[in-house]
Short mmCIF file of all heavy atoms in Angstrom, two decimals:
data_model
loop_
_atom_site.label_atom_id
_atom_site.label_comp_id
_atom_site.label_asym_id
_atom_site.label_seq_id
_atom_site.Cartn_x
_atom_site.Cartn_y
_atom_site.Cartn_z
N MET A 1 89.59 115.95 93.78
CA MET A 1 88.40 115.17 94.14
C MET A 1 88.78 113.80 94.65
O MET A 1 89.61 113.13 94.06
CB MET A 1 87.51 115.07 92.91
CG MET A 1 86.21 114.33 93.18
SD MET A 1 85.21 115.19 94.39
CE MET A 1 84.95 116.75 93.50
N SER A 2 88.19 113.40 95.73
CA SER A 2 88.44 112.06 96.27
C SER A 2 87.16 111.23 96.16
O SER A 2 86.07 111.78 96.14
CB SER A 2 88.90 112.14 97.72
OG SER A 2 87.90 112.69 98.54
N TYR A 3 87.34 109.96 96.11
CA TYR A 3 86.21 109.03 96.04
C TYR A 3 86.31 108.01 97.15
O TYR A 3 87.41 107.66 97.59
CB TYR A 3 86.18 108.32 94.68
CG TYR A 3 85.93 109.26 93.54
CD1 TYR A 3 86.99 109.88 92.90
CD2 TYR A 3 84.64 109.54 93.13
CE1 TYR A 3 86.75 110.78 91.85
CE2 TYR A 3 84.39 110.43 92.09
CZ TYR A 3 85.45 111.05 91.46
OH TYR A 3 85.22 111.94 90.46
N TRP A 4 85.18 107.54 97.60
CA TRP A 4 85.11 106.60 98.72
C TRP A 4 84.13 105.50 98.41
O TRP A 4 83.24 105.66 97.58
CB TRP A 4 84.64 107.34 100.00
CG TRP A 4 85.58 108.38 100.48
CD1 TRP A 4 85.76 109.62 99.95
CD2 TRP A 4 86.48 108.30 101.58
NE1 TRP A 4 86.71 110.32 100.66
CE2 TRP A 4 87.16 109.54 101.67
CE3 TRP A 4 86.76 107.30 102.53
CZ2 TRP A 4 88.13 109.77 102.66
CZ3 TRP A 4 87.70 107.55 103.50
CH2 TRP A 4 88.39 108.79 103.57
N VAL A 5 84.28 104.40 99.12
CA VAL A 5 83.33 103.28 98.98
C VAL A 5 82.74 103.04 100.35
O VAL A 5 83.47 102.91 101.35
CB VAL A 5 84.03 102.01 98.51
CG1 VAL A 5 83.04 100.83 98.48
CG2 VAL A 5 84.64 102.22 97.13
N TYR A 6 81.39 103.03 100.43
CA TYR A 6 80.74 102.65 101.67
C TYR A 6 80.29 101.22 101.57
O TYR A 6 79.48 100.87 100.70
CB TYR A 6 79.55 103.56 102.01
CG TYR A 6 79.01 103.24 103.39
CD1 TYR A 6 79.80 103.48 104.50
CD2 TYR A 6 77.75 102.68 103.56
CE1 TYR A 6 79.35 103.15 105.79
CE2 TYR A 6 77.30 102.35 104.85
CZ TYR A 6 78.10 102.61 105.93
OH TYR A 6 77.65 102.29 107.18
N GLU A 7 80.85 100.42 102.41
CA GLU A 7 80.56 98.99 102.44
C GLU A 7 79.57 98.73 103.57
O GLU A 7 79.83 99.08 104.70
CB GLU A 7 81.87 98.24 102.64
CG GLU A 7 81.77 96.76 102.47
CD GLU A 7 83.11 96.07 102.69
OE1 GLU A 7 84.06 96.73 103.15
OE2 GLU A 7 83.18 94.87 102.43
N ASN A 8 78.43 98.10 103.22
CA ASN A 8 77.37 97.87 104.20
C ASN A 8 76.97 96.41 104.15
O ASN A 8 76.76 95.86 103.07
CB ASN A 8 76.17 98.76 103.84
CG ASN A 8 75.08 98.68 104.89
OD1 ASN A 8 74.64 97.59 105.28
ND2 ASN A 8 74.59 99.82 105.34
N TRP A 9 76.90 95.78 105.27
CA TRP A 9 76.58 94.35 105.27
C TRP A 9 75.39 94.03 106.17
O TRP A 9 75.20 92.88 106.53
CB TRP A 9 77.80 93.54 105.70
CG TRP A 9 78.47 94.06 106.94
CD1 TRP A 9 78.07 93.89 108.21
CD2 TRP A 9 79.67 94.83 106.99
NE1 TRP A 9 78.95 94.50 109.06
CE2 TRP A 9 79.95 95.09 108.35
CE3 TRP A 9 80.54 95.34 106.02
CZ2 TRP A 9 81.04 95.84 108.76
CZ3 TRP A 9 81.63 96.08 106.44
CH2 TRP A 9 81.87 96.31 107.78
N THR A 10 74.59 95.02 106.52
CA THR A 10 73.41 94.71 107.33
C THR A 10 72.13 94.98 106.55
O THR A 10 71.42 94.04 106.20
CB THR A 10 73.42 95.52 108.64
OG1 THR A 10 73.64 96.88 108.32
CG2 THR A 10 74.47 95.01 109.57
N ALA A 11 71.82 96.24 106.27
CA ALA A 11 70.58 96.58 105.58
C ALA A 11 70.53 95.87 104.22
O ALA A 11 69.51 95.35 103.79
CB ALA A 11 70.46 98.07 105.37
N GLU A 12 71.69 95.87 103.56
CA GLU A 12 71.81 95.27 102.24
C GLU A 12 73.28 94.94 102.06
O GLU A 12 74.12 95.68 102.51
CB GLU A 12 71.34 96.27 101.17
CG GLU A 12 71.14 95.68 99.79
CD GLU A 12 70.68 96.73 98.81
OE1 GLU A 12 70.46 97.91 99.20
OE2 GLU A 12 70.56 96.41 97.62
N ASP A 13 73.56 93.84 101.42
CA ASP A 13 74.94 93.46 101.20
C ASP A 13 75.47 94.23 100.00
O ASP A 13 75.30 93.82 98.86
CB ASP A 13 75.03 91.95 100.95
CG ASP A 13 76.47 91.46 100.90
OD1 ASP A 13 77.30 91.96 101.65
OD2 ASP A 13 76.74 90.59 100.05
N LYS A 14 76.08 95.37 100.25
CA LYS A 14 76.42 96.25 99.13
C LYS A 14 77.63 97.10 99.38
O LYS A 14 78.06 97.29 100.53
CB LYS A 14 75.23 97.17 98.80
CG LYS A 14 74.91 98.15 99.93
CD LYS A 14 73.73 99.06 99.54
CE LYS A 14 73.39 100.00 100.68
NZ LYS A 14 72.27 100.87 100.35
N ALA A 15 78.15 97.64 98.28
CA ALA A 15 79.26 98.60 98.33
C ALA A 15 78.88 99.72 97.37
O ALA A 15 78.62 99.48 96.20
CB ALA A 15 80.56 97.94 97.90
N VAL A 16 78.87 100.95 97.89
CA VAL A 16 78.42 102.09 97.09
C VAL A 16 79.55 103.11 96.99
O VAL A 16 80.15 103.49 98.00
CB VAL A 16 77.18 102.75 97.73
CG1 VAL A 16 76.69 103.90 96.87
CG2 VAL A 16 76.08 101.72 97.94
N VAL A 17 79.79 103.55 95.75
CA VAL A 17 80.84 104.55 95.51
C VAL A 17 80.27 105.96 95.72
O VAL A 17 79.20 106.27 95.20
CB VAL A 17 81.40 104.41 94.08
CG1 VAL A 17 82.43 105.50 93.80
CG2 VAL A 17 82.00 103.03 93.88
N HIS A 18 81.00 106.79 96.47
CA HIS A 18 80.62 108.17 96.71
C HIS A 18 81.75 109.09 96.40
O HIS A 18 82.91 108.70 96.48
CB HIS A 18 80.25 108.40 98.19
CG HIS A 18 78.97 107.79 98.63
ND1 HIS A 18 77.76 108.45 98.55
CD2 HIS A 18 78.73 106.58 99.16
CE1 HIS A 18 76.81 107.65 99.03
NE2 HIS A 18 77.36 106.51 99.42
N ARG A 19 81.41 110.35 96.12
CA ARG A 19 82.41 111.41 96.03
C ARG A 19 82.62 111.99 97.41
O ARG A 19 81.72 112.02 98.23
CB ARG A 19 81.89 112.51 95.10
CG ARG A 19 82.60 112.55 93.77
CD ARG A 19 81.90 113.40 92.77
NE ARG A 19 81.72 114.80 93.20
CZ ARG A 19 81.36 115.77 92.37
NH1 ARG A 19 81.19 115.49 91.08
NH2 ARG A 19 81.18 116.99 92.78
N GLY A 20 83.83 112.46 97.64
CA GLY A 20 84.17 113.01 98.96
C GLY A 20 83.31 114.17 99.38
O GLY A 20 83.09 114.37 100.58
N ASP A 21 82.82 114.94 98.41
CA ASP A 21 82.00 116.10 98.77
C ASP A 21 80.51 115.77 98.84
O ASP A 21 79.68 116.65 99.02
CB ASP A 21 82.24 117.27 97.78
CG ASP A 21 81.84 116.92 96.36
OD1 ASP A 21 81.61 115.72 96.06
OD2 ASP A 21 81.81 117.84 95.53
N CYS A 22 80.16 114.50 98.74
CA CYS A 22 78.77 114.09 98.88
C CYS A 22 78.37 114.23 100.35
O CYS A 22 79.15 113.92 101.25
CB CYS A 22 78.62 112.64 98.42
SG CYS A 22 76.99 111.94 98.78
N GLY A 23 77.14 114.64 100.59
CA GLY A 23 76.68 114.83 101.95
C GLY A 23 76.66 113.54 102.74
O GLY A 23 76.79 113.54 103.96
N GLN A 24 76.47 112.44 102.06
CA GLN A 24 76.44 111.15 102.74
C GLN A 24 77.84 110.63 103.05
O GLN A 24 78.03 109.75 103.88
CB GLN A 24 75.71 110.11 101.89
CG GLN A 24 74.22 110.33 101.84
CD GLN A 24 73.51 109.16 101.18
OE1 GLN A 24 73.96 108.04 101.22
NE2 GLN A 24 72.39 109.46 100.52
N CYS A 25 78.82 111.17 102.31
CA CYS A 25 80.17 110.68 102.48
C CYS A 25 80.97 111.60 103.40
O CYS A 25 81.56 111.13 104.37
CB CYS A 25 80.85 110.61 101.11
SG CYS A 25 82.56 110.09 101.19
N ASN A 26 80.99 112.89 103.05
CA ASN A 26 81.70 113.86 103.88
C ASN A 26 83.14 113.41 104.15
O ASN A 26 83.61 113.36 105.28
CB ASN A 26 80.95 114.07 105.19
CG ASN A 26 81.46 115.27 105.96
OD1 ASN A 26 82.08 116.15 105.38
ND2 ASN A 26 81.21 115.30 107.26
N ASP A 27 83.81 113.09 103.03
CA ASP A 27 85.21 112.62 103.10
C ASP A 27 85.41 111.47 104.08
O ASP A 27 86.36 111.43 104.84
CB ASP A 27 86.15 113.78 103.45
CG ASP A 27 86.45 114.63 102.24
OD1 ASP A 27 86.66 114.05 101.14
OD2 ASP A 27 86.49 115.87 102.37
N GLY A 28 84.47 110.54 104.01
CA GLY A 28 84.62 109.31 104.77
C GLY A 28 84.08 109.39 106.18
O GLY A 28 84.05 108.37 106.88
N HIS A 29 83.60 110.56 106.59
CA HIS A 29 83.05 110.65 107.93
C HIS A 29 81.58 110.21 107.96
O HIS A 29 81.08 109.84 109.02
CB HIS A 29 83.14 112.09 108.48
CG HIS A 29 84.55 112.56 108.63
ND1 HIS A 29 85.44 111.96 109.50
CD2 HIS A 29 85.26 113.51 107.97
CE1 HIS A 29 86.61 112.57 109.39
NE2 HIS A 29 86.53 113.50 108.48
N GLY A 30 80.94 110.28 106.81
CA GLY A 30 79.57 109.81 106.71
C GLY A 30 78.58 110.76 107.35
O GLY A 30 78.92 111.72 108.02
N CYS A 31 77.32 110.49 107.08
CA CYS A 31 76.29 111.33 107.65
C CYS A 31 75.84 110.80 109.01
O CYS A 31 75.08 111.45 109.72
CB CYS A 31 75.08 111.41 106.70
SG CYS A 31 74.32 109.83 106.35
N HIS A 32 76.30 109.63 109.37
CA HIS A 32 75.92 109.06 110.66
C HIS A 32 77.05 109.28 111.64
O HIS A 32 78.22 109.24 111.31
CB HIS A 32 75.69 107.55 110.54
CG HIS A 32 74.69 107.20 109.50
ND1 HIS A 32 73.35 107.53 109.63
CD2 HIS A 32 74.80 106.60 108.31
CE1 HIS A 32 72.70 107.11 108.55
NE2 HIS A 32 73.54 106.55 107.75
N LYS A 33 76.66 109.50 112.88
CA LYS A 33 77.67 109.62 113.93
C LYS A 33 78.28 108.22 114.21
O LYS A 33 77.62 107.21 113.98
CB LYS A 33 77.03 110.15 115.22
CG LYS A 33 76.60 111.60 115.11
CD LYS A 33 75.97 112.06 116.42
CE LYS A 33 75.52 113.52 116.28
NZ LYS A 33 74.80 113.98 117.48
N ASN A 34 79.46 108.28 114.70
CA ASN A 34 80.05 107.02 115.21
C ASN A 34 80.22 105.98 114.09
O ASN A 34 80.04 104.80 114.32
CB ASN A 34 79.19 106.46 116.32
CG ASN A 34 79.99 105.60 117.28
OD1 ASN A 34 81.23 105.67 117.24
ND2 ASN A 34 79.33 104.84 118.11
N ILE A 35 80.54 106.48 112.89
CA ILE A 35 80.64 105.55 111.76
C ILE A 35 81.85 104.62 111.95
O ILE A 35 81.84 103.49 111.51
CB ILE A 35 80.74 106.34 110.43
CG1 ILE A 35 80.44 105.41 109.26
CG2 ILE A 35 82.08 107.01 110.27
CD1 ILE A 35 78.97 105.12 109.07
N HIS A 36 82.85 105.10 112.61
CA HIS A 36 84.00 104.25 112.86
C HIS A 36 83.70 103.29 113.98
O HIS A 36 83.23 103.68 115.04
CB HIS A 36 85.23 105.09 113.18
CG HIS A 36 85.66 105.96 112.02
ND1 HIS A 36 86.18 105.45 110.87
CD2 HIS A 36 85.58 107.29 111.83
CE1 HIS A 36 86.42 106.42 110.05
NE2 HIS A 36 86.07 107.56 110.59
N GLY A 37 83.96 102.05 113.75
CA GLY A 37 83.64 101.06 114.76
C GLY A 37 82.20 100.62 114.65
O GLY A 37 81.74 99.81 115.42
N ASN A 38 81.50 101.17 113.68
CA ASN A 38 80.11 100.80 113.45
C ASN A 38 80.05 99.41 112.86
O ASN A 38 80.79 99.07 111.96
CB ASN A 38 79.48 101.83 112.48
CG ASN A 38 77.98 101.70 112.43
OD1 ASN A 38 77.43 100.63 112.48
ND2 ASN A 38 77.34 102.86 112.31
N LYS A 39 79.15 98.58 113.36
CA LYS A 39 79.04 97.25 112.84
C LYS A 39 78.18 97.16 111.58
O LYS A 39 78.06 96.11 110.99
CB LYS A 39 78.47 96.32 113.91
CG LYS A 39 79.46 96.08 115.03
CD LYS A 39 78.99 94.99 115.96
CE LYS A 39 80.10 94.54 116.90
NZ LYS A 39 80.72 95.64 117.65
N ASN A 40 77.58 98.29 111.19
CA ASN A 40 76.75 98.28 109.99
C ASN A 40 77.55 98.38 108.71
O ASN A 40 77.09 97.96 107.66
CB ASN A 40 75.76 99.44 110.03
CG ASN A 40 74.76 99.28 111.14
OD1 ASN A 40 74.42 98.16 111.53
ND2 ASN A 40 74.29 100.40 111.67
N GLY A 41 78.72 98.97 108.79
CA GLY A 41 79.50 99.18 107.58
C GLY A 41 80.74 99.96 107.84
O GLY A 41 81.06 100.31 108.97
N GLN A 42 81.48 100.22 106.74
CA GLN A 42 82.72 100.97 106.89
C GLN A 42 83.01 101.71 105.59
O GLN A 42 82.55 101.33 104.52
CB GLN A 42 83.87 100.03 107.21
CG GLN A 42 84.20 99.04 106.10
CD GLN A 42 85.38 98.16 106.43
OE1 GLN A 42 86.04 98.34 107.45
NE2 GLN A 42 85.64 97.17 105.59
N TRP A 43 83.77 102.78 105.72
CA TRP A 43 84.23 103.55 104.56
C TRP A 43 85.60 103.06 104.12
O TRP A 43 86.49 102.87 104.98
CB TRP A 43 84.33 105.04 104.91
CG TRP A 43 82.99 105.70 105.04
CD1 TRP A 43 82.34 105.97 106.21
CD2 TRP A 43 82.16 106.18 103.99
NE1 TRP A 43 81.12 106.56 105.92
CE2 TRP A 43 81.01 106.71 104.59
CE3 TRP A 43 82.27 106.21 102.59
CZ2 TRP A 43 79.96 107.24 103.84
CZ3 TRP A 43 81.25 106.75 101.84
CH2 TRP A 43 80.11 107.26 102.47
N LEU A 44 85.76 102.88 102.84
CA LEU A 44 87.04 102.53 102.26
C LEU A 44 87.51 103.72 101.42
O LEU A 44 86.76 104.24 100.63
CB LEU A 44 86.93 101.30 101.35
CG LEU A 44 86.26 100.06 101.99
CD1 LEU A 44 86.09 98.98 100.92
CD2 LEU A 44 87.09 99.55 103.14
N GLY A 45 88.74 104.13 101.60
CA GLY A 45 89.22 105.26 100.81
C GLY A 45 90.16 106.13 101.59
O GLY A 45 90.52 105.79 102.72
N PRO A 46 90.54 107.27 101.07
CA PRO A 46 90.07 107.84 99.79
C PRO A 46 90.79 107.24 98.57
O PRO A 46 91.90 106.75 98.68
CB PRO A 46 90.41 109.31 99.94
CG PRO A 46 91.63 109.33 100.79
CD PRO A 46 91.46 108.16 101.76
N TYR A 47 90.12 107.34 97.44
CA TYR A 47 90.69 106.96 96.14
C TYR A 47 90.74 108.19 95.28
O TYR A 47 89.84 109.03 95.30
CB TYR A 47 89.85 105.87 95.48
CG TYR A 47 89.75 104.63 96.35
CD1 TYR A 47 88.63 104.43 97.16
CD2 TYR A 47 90.76 103.70 96.41
CE1 TYR A 47 88.52 103.32 97.99
CE2 TYR A 47 90.69 102.59 97.23
CZ TYR A 47 89.57 102.40 98.02
OH TYR A 47 89.48 101.32 98.84
N SER A 48 91.80 108.29 94.49
CA SER A 48 92.02 109.51 93.71
C SER A 48 91.24 109.56 92.40
O SER A 48 91.19 110.58 91.74
CB SER A 48 93.52 109.67 93.42
OG SER A 48 94.00 108.53 92.74
N ALA A 49 90.65 108.41 92.02
CA ALA A 49 89.89 108.38 90.77
C ALA A 49 88.65 107.48 90.94
O ALA A 49 88.68 106.53 91.73
CB ALA A 49 90.72 107.84 89.63
N LEU A 50 87.63 107.81 90.18
CA LEU A 50 86.39 107.04 90.24
C LEU A 50 86.65 105.57 89.88
O LEU A 50 86.11 104.65 90.51
CB LEU A 50 85.37 107.66 89.28
CG LEU A 50 83.99 107.02 89.22
CD1 LEU A 50 83.35 106.97 90.58
CD2 LEU A 50 83.11 107.80 88.23
N SER A 51 87.51 105.37 88.90
CA SER A 51 87.79 104.00 88.47
C SER A 51 88.43 103.19 89.58
O SER A 51 88.16 102.00 89.73
CB SER A 51 88.69 104.01 87.23
OG SER A 51 89.90 104.69 87.51
N LEU A 52 89.27 103.84 90.38
CA LEU A 52 89.92 103.13 91.49
C LEU A 52 88.90 102.77 92.58
O LEU A 52 88.95 101.68 93.16
CB LEU A 52 91.04 103.98 92.09
CG LEU A 52 92.23 104.26 91.18
CD1 LEU A 52 93.18 105.25 91.83
CD2 LEU A 52 92.95 102.95 90.85
N ALA A 53 87.98 103.69 92.82
CA ALA A 53 86.95 103.42 93.83
C ALA A 53 86.04 102.27 93.36
O ALA A 53 85.66 101.42 94.17
CB ALA A 53 86.12 104.70 94.07
N ARG A 54 85.73 102.25 92.07
CA ARG A 54 84.91 101.16 91.54
C ARG A 54 85.63 99.83 91.66
O ARG A 54 85.02 98.80 91.96
CB ARG A 54 84.56 101.44 90.09
CG ARG A 54 83.47 102.48 89.92
CD ARG A 54 83.23 102.77 88.46
NE ARG A 54 82.11 103.67 88.27
CZ ARG A 54 82.00 104.49 87.22
NH1 ARG A 54 82.94 104.51 86.31
NH2 ARG A 54 80.95 105.28 87.10
N ALA A 55 86.92 99.83 91.43
CA ALA A 55 87.70 98.61 91.56
C ALA A 55 87.68 98.14 93.01
O ALA A 55 87.59 96.93 93.28
CB ALA A 55 89.12 98.86 91.08
N ALA A 56 87.77 99.07 93.93
CA ALA A 56 87.74 98.72 95.35
C ALA A 56 86.37 98.16 95.73
O ALA A 56 86.26 97.23 96.53
CB ALA A 56 88.07 99.93 96.19
N ALA A 57 85.32 98.73 95.17
CA ALA A 57 83.97 98.25 95.43
C ALA A 57 83.82 96.81 94.92
O ALA A 57 83.26 95.96 95.58
CB ALA A 57 82.93 99.16 94.81
N ASP A 58 84.35 96.57 93.72
CA ASP A 58 84.31 95.23 93.17
C ASP A 58 85.07 94.24 94.05
O ASP A 58 84.66 93.09 94.24
CB ASP A 58 84.92 95.20 91.77
CG ASP A 58 83.97 95.77 90.72
OD1 ASP A 58 82.78 95.89 91.03
OD2 ASP A 58 84.45 96.08 89.61
N ALA A 59 86.17 94.71 94.62
CA ALA A 59 87.02 93.84 95.42
C ALA A 59 86.34 93.41 96.71
O ALA A 59 86.74 92.42 97.33
CB ALA A 59 88.34 94.55 95.75
N THR A 60 85.32 94.15 97.15
CA THR A 60 84.62 93.76 98.37
C THR A 60 83.77 92.51 98.14
O THR A 60 83.37 91.85 99.09
CB THR A 60 83.68 94.87 98.88
OG1 THR A 60 82.64 95.09 97.93
CG2 THR A 60 84.44 96.16 99.14
N ARG A 61 83.43 92.24 96.86
CA ARG A 61 82.63 91.07 96.49
C ARG A 61 81.25 91.11 97.13
O ARG A 61 80.62 90.07 97.34
CB ARG A 61 83.34 89.76 96.85
CG ARG A 61 84.64 89.59 96.09
CD ARG A 61 85.36 88.31 96.51
NE ARG A 61 86.49 88.02 95.61
CZ ARG A 61 86.38 87.35 94.47
NH1 ARG A 61 85.22 86.92 94.06
NH2 ARG A 61 87.45 87.14 93.72
N ARG A 62 80.78 92.31 97.42
CA ARG A 62 79.41 92.44 97.94
C ARG A 62 78.43 92.11 96.83
O ARG A 62 78.73 92.28 95.64
CB ARG A 62 79.18 93.85 98.46
CG ARG A 62 80.03 94.21 99.67
CD ARG A 62 79.59 93.48 100.91
NE ARG A 62 80.63 93.49 101.95
CZ ARG A 62 80.61 92.71 103.02
NH1 ARG A 62 79.62 91.87 103.23
NH2 ARG A 62 81.58 92.76 103.90
N ALA A 63 77.21 91.70 97.23
CA ALA A 63 76.22 91.28 96.24
C ALA A 63 75.84 92.44 95.31
O ALA A 63 75.63 92.25 94.12
CB ALA A 63 74.98 90.75 96.94
N VAL A 64 75.75 93.66 95.87
CA VAL A 64 75.38 94.82 95.10
C VAL A 64 76.53 95.82 95.09
O VAL A 64 77.03 96.20 96.13
CB VAL A 64 74.11 95.50 95.71
CG1 VAL A 64 73.77 96.78 94.94
CG2 VAL A 64 72.94 94.55 95.72
N ARG A 65 76.99 96.21 93.91
CA ARG A 65 78.00 97.24 93.79
C ARG A 65 77.47 98.31 92.86
O ARG A 65 77.08 98.02 91.74
CB ARG A 65 79.30 96.68 93.21
CG ARG A 65 80.19 96.05 94.27
CD ARG A 65 80.26 94.56 94.17
NE ARG A 65 80.82 94.08 92.90
CZ ARG A 65 80.98 92.78 92.63
NH1 ARG A 65 80.63 91.86 93.52
NH2 ARG A 65 81.46 92.40 91.49
N LYS A 66 77.43 99.56 93.35
CA LYS A 66 76.85 100.61 92.52
C LYS A 66 77.45 101.96 92.83
O LYS A 66 78.11 102.13 93.87
CB LYS A 66 75.33 100.65 92.66
CG LYS A 66 74.86 100.94 94.07
CD LYS A 66 73.34 100.80 94.15
CE LYS A 66 72.82 101.05 95.57
NZ LYS A 66 71.38 100.88 95.65
N ASP A 67 77.16 102.92 91.93
CA ASP A 67 77.59 104.30 92.13
C ASP A 67 76.45 105.09 92.74
O ASP A 67 75.31 105.00 92.27
CB ASP A 67 77.94 104.96 90.80
CG ASP A 67 79.15 104.29 90.13
OD1 ASP A 67 79.92 103.60 90.84
OD2 ASP A 67 79.29 104.48 88.93
N HIS A 68 76.72 105.87 93.78
CA HIS A 68 75.73 106.80 94.28
C HIS A 68 75.56 107.93 93.23
O HIS A 68 76.47 108.15 92.43
CB HIS A 68 76.22 107.39 95.62
CG HIS A 68 75.21 108.21 96.32
ND1 HIS A 68 75.40 109.54 96.61
CD2 HIS A 68 73.96 107.91 96.78
CE1 HIS A 68 74.33 110.00 97.26
NE2 HIS A 68 73.44 109.02 97.36
N ARG A 69 74.41 108.61 93.26
CA ARG A 69 74.18 109.62 92.24
C ARG A 69 75.18 110.76 92.28
O ARG A 69 75.39 111.47 91.30
CB ARG A 69 72.77 110.18 92.33
CG ARG A 69 72.39 110.70 93.70
CD ARG A 69 70.91 111.06 93.73
NE ARG A 69 70.39 111.16 95.08
CZ ARG A 69 70.57 112.21 95.86
NH1 ARG A 69 71.22 113.26 95.41
NH2 ARG A 69 70.06 112.21 97.08
N CYS A 70 75.85 110.93 93.43
CA CYS A 70 76.85 112.01 93.54
C CYS A 70 77.99 111.83 92.52
O CYS A 70 78.64 112.79 92.15
CB CYS A 70 77.41 112.10 94.95
SG CYS A 70 78.23 110.59 95.49
N THR A 71 78.23 110.58 92.10
CA THR A 71 79.31 110.35 91.14
C THR A 71 78.97 110.88 89.77
O THR A 71 79.85 110.97 88.90
CB THR A 71 79.64 108.85 91.03
OG1 THR A 71 78.49 108.14 90.54
CG2 THR A 71 80.03 108.28 92.39
N LYS A 72 77.70 111.24 89.54
CA LYS A 72 77.30 111.80 88.24
C LYS A 72 77.26 113.32 88.25
O LYS A 72 76.96 113.94 87.24
CB LYS A 72 75.91 111.28 87.83
CG LYS A 72 75.97 109.91 87.17
CD LYS A 72 75.52 108.83 88.08
CE LYS A 72 75.49 107.46 87.38
NZ LYS A 72 75.50 106.37 88.38
N TRP A 73 77.52 113.90 89.40
CA TRP A 73 77.50 115.36 89.49
C TRP A 73 78.60 115.92 88.60
O TRP A 73 79.65 115.30 88.44
CB TRP A 73 77.73 115.82 90.93
CG TRP A 73 76.63 115.48 91.87
CD1 TRP A 73 75.38 115.01 91.55
CD2 TRP A 73 76.69 115.51 93.29
NE1 TRP A 73 74.67 114.77 92.70
CE2 TRP A 73 75.44 115.06 93.77
CE3 TRP A 73 77.68 115.86 94.21
CZ2 TRP A 73 75.15 114.96 95.13
CZ3 TRP A 73 77.41 115.78 95.56
CH2 TRP A 73 76.16 115.34 96.01
N PRO A 74 78.37 117.13 88.05
CA PRO A 74 79.39 117.74 87.20
C PRO A 74 80.65 118.14 87.99
O PRO A 74 80.55 118.34 89.19
CB PRO A 74 78.70 118.97 86.62
CG PRO A 74 77.55 119.25 87.52
CD PRO A 74 77.15 117.92 88.08
ZN1 LIG B 1 77.15 110.06 97.51
#
């Protein structure tokens, strides 16, 4: 299992932790086209553990840091 952080600085100043198999993450490709080079945000990762992804989210110093619900999946 891999974990990713989506860092967004337009809609909301935030960093959200996702699992690689989350539909919104899709192993860092995201659900949006053209995510790379996108000025809205960027994916950080992959990280091999949830704790590492959370640490990376903290390191962004975004105002909001949280886990997406996918991180609670069994
Ligand atoms: Zn997710």
Side-chain angles (χ1 to χ4, degrees):
M1 183 61 62
S2 63
Y3 295 90
W4 296 76
V5 176
Y6 188 66
E7 189 180 9
N8 186 310
W9 48 79
T10 50
E12 192 180 356
D13 187 38
K14 65 180 178 179
V16 183
V17 177
H18 289 270
R19 253 167 58 166
D21 62 348
C22 172
Q24 288 188 30
C25 177
N26 192 21
D27 280 319
H29 297 296
C31 60
H32 305 292
K33 291 179 180 175
N34 207 14
I35 197 77
H36 296 291
N38 193 322
K39 290 190 167 53
N40 294 330
Q42 65 179 353
W43 288 99
L44 307 174
Y47 301 97
S48 57
L50 181 56
S51 59
L52 294 174
R54 283 176 175 153
D58 283 345
T60 66
R61 297 178 170 274
R62 295 290 162 193
V64 177
R65 275 109 62 179
K66 61 186 178 182
D67 296 340
H68 188 240
R69 54 188 161 80
C70 60
T71 62
K72 276 105 177 161
W73 294 348

